[in-house]
C-alpha cells in the first residue's frame, strides 16, 4: 500500500535507478579513498570488484530504504508544510528528518556489515564515522530527490495540461459540429421558407433568433464556462425555433432565481439536454413534450416527460460523455442523468464564482 502511494507520487522505477547510481558512486569513491589513504589498500583487480559488489549491494538495500523514507517525508511535507506557505518550518523538519533517517539507516547497515566481517577499529568508532558521512550524503540525496520530485510533478502537470488542451479542442469540435448540424439547418430553413410567405414579421423574428443561436455558439465555443443567464438566453432562442416548428407541442417552463444567474456552467450544456429531449421523444399536439428547468441545491435540474419514439434509435451517449469531460475540466462534479416515474431528469452542477 505504501509503495503504491509512493509510486503515484514518484515512480519507484526511477527511484531504484537513482539509488543504484548513487550507491555505486558512493562505494567507488569510498574504495578509492580508502585505497589512496592506506586505510584499506586494493590488492588486486578481483579484490576491487569484490569490494565494489559487496559494498554496493549493502548500500543499495540501505539506500533504497533511506530513499523511500526520504520520499515519504517529502510527500508528507508537500501536504502539510508546502514551500510557499511554511518554508522555515519545512526546512527545519526536513533537515532533522534527513539526519535521523541517515543515522538509522547507516546504523543498521554498519551493524550488519560488522556481523559479517568485524571492523578492526571497533564498532562505536565506525558507527560515528559512518553516521556523520551518511548524514551529509543523505542531505544531498534529500535535496536531489526534492529536485527530482519537483521536475516529475512539473512534467506530469505539463503533460496533463497538454492532454486536457487536446481533449478540450476535440470536445469543442464535437460541440461545434453538433450545433452546425445539417438536419437542424435544413429543418430551420424549411420552417423559415414557410414563414416568409405566411408571416413576414414572425419570419424576421425567426431569423433574429436563428442568428442569436449561432452567434452564441461562435462566441462561447472557446470558453470553459458561461453565466447561467447567458445560457438561459440561448435556451429561449433555441426553444423559440422549436416552437415555431412544433407549435404548442413543445412547452418550456423556467424557474431559476436571480441568485443563480451569475453562477456558471459549461456553454451549451442546456442545449444538449433539450436537443436530446426533442430528438428521443414524441412531440405532437396530442402528446406535448413538457420541459422544466429549475434551480435546486446549486444545480440546474432539467425534467421532461418520457414518450419515446419507436424509430429514435439507440443513443450513443457521446454528447453526455463529452459534457462530463467538460465538467471535469472545471470541477469535481459531473452531470447526472436518470429516469424516475416516466420522467427524464438531468442535473447540471453550477459553480459559484463568488466563492470559488
Amino acid at each position: 500500500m505504501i509503495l503504491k502511494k509512493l509510486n503515484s507520487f514518484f515512480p519507484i522505477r526511477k527511484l531504484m535507478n537513482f539509488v543504484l547510481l548513487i550507491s555505486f558512486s558512493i562505494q567507488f569513491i569510498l574504495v578509492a579513498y580508502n585505497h589512496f589513504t592506506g586505510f584499506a589498500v586494493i590488492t588486486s583487480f578481483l579484490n576491487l570488484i569484490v569490494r565494489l559488489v559487496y559494498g554496493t549491494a549493502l548500500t543499495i538495500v540501505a539506500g533504497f530504504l533511506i530513499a523511500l523514507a526520504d520520499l515519504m517525508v517529502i510527500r508528507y511535507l508537500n501536504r502539510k508544510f508546502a514551500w510557499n506557505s511554511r518554508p522555515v518550518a519545512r526546512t527545519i523538519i526536513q533537515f532533522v528528518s534527513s539526519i535521523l533517517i541517515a543515522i538509522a539507516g547507516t546504523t543498521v547497515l554498519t551493524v550488519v556489515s560488522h556481523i559479517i566481517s568485524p571492523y578492526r577499529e571497533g564498532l562505536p568508532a565506525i558507527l560515528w564515522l559512518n553516521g556523520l558521512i551518511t548524514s551529509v550524503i543523505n542531505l544531498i540525496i534529500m535535496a536531489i530527490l526534492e529536485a527530482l520530485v519537483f521536475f516529475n510533478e512539473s512534467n506530469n502537470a505539463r503533460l496533463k495540461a497538454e492532454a486536457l488542451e487536446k481533449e478540450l479542442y476535440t470536445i469543442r469540435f464535437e460541440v461545434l459540429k453538433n450545433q452546425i448540424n445539417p438536419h437542424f439547418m435544413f429543418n430551420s430553413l424549411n420552417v423559415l421558407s414557410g414563414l416568409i410567405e405566411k408571416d413576414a414579421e414572425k419570419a424576421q423574428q425567426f431569423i433574429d433568433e436563428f442568428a442569436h443561436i449561432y452567434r452564441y455558439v461562435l462566441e462561447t465555443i472557446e470558453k470553459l464556462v458561461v453565466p447561467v443567464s447567458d445560457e438561459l438566453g440561448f435556451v429561449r432562442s433555441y426553444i423559440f425555433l422549436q416552437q415555431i416548428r412544433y407549435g404548442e407541442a413543445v412547452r418550456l417552463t423556467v424557474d431559476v432565481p436571480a441568485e443563480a444567474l451569475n453562477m456558471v456552467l459549461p456553454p451549451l450544456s442546456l442545449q444538449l439536454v433539450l436537443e436530446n429531449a426533442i430528438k428521443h421523444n414524441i412531440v405532437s399536439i396530442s402528446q406535448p413534450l413538457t420541459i422544466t428547468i429549475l434551480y435546486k441545491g446549486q444545480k440546474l435540474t432539467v425534467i421532461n416527460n418520457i414518450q419515446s419514439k419507436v424509430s429514435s434509435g439507440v443513443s450513443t451517449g457521446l454528447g453526455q460523455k463529452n459534457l462530463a469531460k467538460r465538467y471535469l475540466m472545471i470541477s469535481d462534479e459531473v452531470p447526472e442523468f436518470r429516469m424516475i416515474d416516466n420522467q427524464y431528469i438531468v442535473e447540471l452542477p453550477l459553480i459559484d464564482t463568488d466563492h470559488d
Side-chain angles (χ1 to χ4, degrees), residues 10 41 45 52 57 66-67 73 96-97 111 130-131 139 185 196 212 229 285 351:
F10 186 82
V41 177
F45 180 73
L52 280 176
I66 289 174
V73 169
V96 173
S97 298
V111 170
N130 286 354
L139 286 172
M185 293 278 286
I196 290 175
H212 176 253
S229 57
I285 295 299
I351 299 170

Side-chain angles (χ1 to χ4, degrees), residues 92-113:
I92 295 172
I93 294 173
Q94 199 155 345
F95 180 82
V96 173
S97 298
S98 180
I99 293 176
L100 292 177
I101 290 170
I103 292 174
T106 195
T107 298
V108 173
L109 178 64
T110 303
V111 170
V112 171
S113 181

Side-chain angles (χ1 to χ4, degrees), residues 164-345:
L164 285 176
E165 187 66 20
K166 184 178 179 180
E167 185 71 29
L168 184 57
Y169 275 117
T170 301
I171 293 171
R172 284 171 178 166
F173 174 74
E174 290 295 330
V175 171
L176 186 59
K177 184 175 69 174
N178 288 335
Q179 301 311 312
I180 307 177
N181 189 308
H183 295 292
F184 180 71
M185 293 278 286
F186 179 77
N187 291 332
S188 298
L189 292 176
N190 268 346
V191 172
L192 178 60
S193 177
L195 279 177
I196 290 175
E197 296 180 358
K198 297 178 181 179
D199 191 335
E201 184 178 345
K202 185 165 283 188
Q204 182 58 52
Q205 188 179 359
F206 186 96
I207 292 171
D208 291 342
E209 299 296 348
F210 188 77
H212 176 253
I213 284 176
Y214 282 99
R215 183 168 60 249
Y216 182 80
V217 171
L218 295 175
E219 287 176 352
T220 61
I221 197 65
E222 293 295 326
K223 297 179 180 178
L224 283 176
V225 294
V226 293
V228 171
S229 57
D230 290 356
E231 190 75 356
L232 290 177
F234 168 83
V235 163
R236 292 187 180 94
S237 296
Y238 181 80
I239 290 297
F240 174 83
L241 298 190
Q242 299 298 338
Q243 288 176 333
I244 292 295
R245 180 183 177 191
Y246 293 105
E248 291 300 316
V250 175
R251 301 172 185 176
L252 174 68
T253 301
V254 178
D255 184 12
V256 178
E259 63 264 23
L261 296 180
N262 290 327
M263 295 182 179
V264 297
L265 74 168
L268 303 170
S269 300
L270 285 172
Q271 186 274 338
L272 170 70
V273 178
L274 299 182
E275 183 182 57
N276 283 341
I278 294 171
K279 178 181 177 182
H280 296 292
N281 290 284
I282 296 171
V283 182
S284 66
I285 295 299
S286 60
Q287 291 180 281
L289 178 66
T290 303
I291 303 172
T292 302
I293 301 176
L294 52 87
Y295 175 76
K296 184 179 180 181
Q298 202 162 321
K299 294 180 181 180
L300 279 186
T301 301
V302 185
I303 306 171
N304 68 265
N305 54 320
I306 298 175
Q307 40 200 31
S308 302
K309 292 180 180 178
V310 176
S311 60
S312 64
V314 179
S315 174
T316 62
L318 182 60
Q320 294 179 0
K321 292 176 183 176
N322 283 341
L323 181 58
K325 289 179 182 178
R326 291 163 63 200
Y327 259 97
L328 288 174
M329 292 179 182
I330 58 173
S331 73
D332 296 328
E333 295 187 89
V334 293
E336 294 183 11
F337 306 86
R338 61 181 184 272
M339 290 185 288
I340 300 177
D341 297 332
N342 206 37
Q343 289 184 324
Y344 194 74
I345 301 174

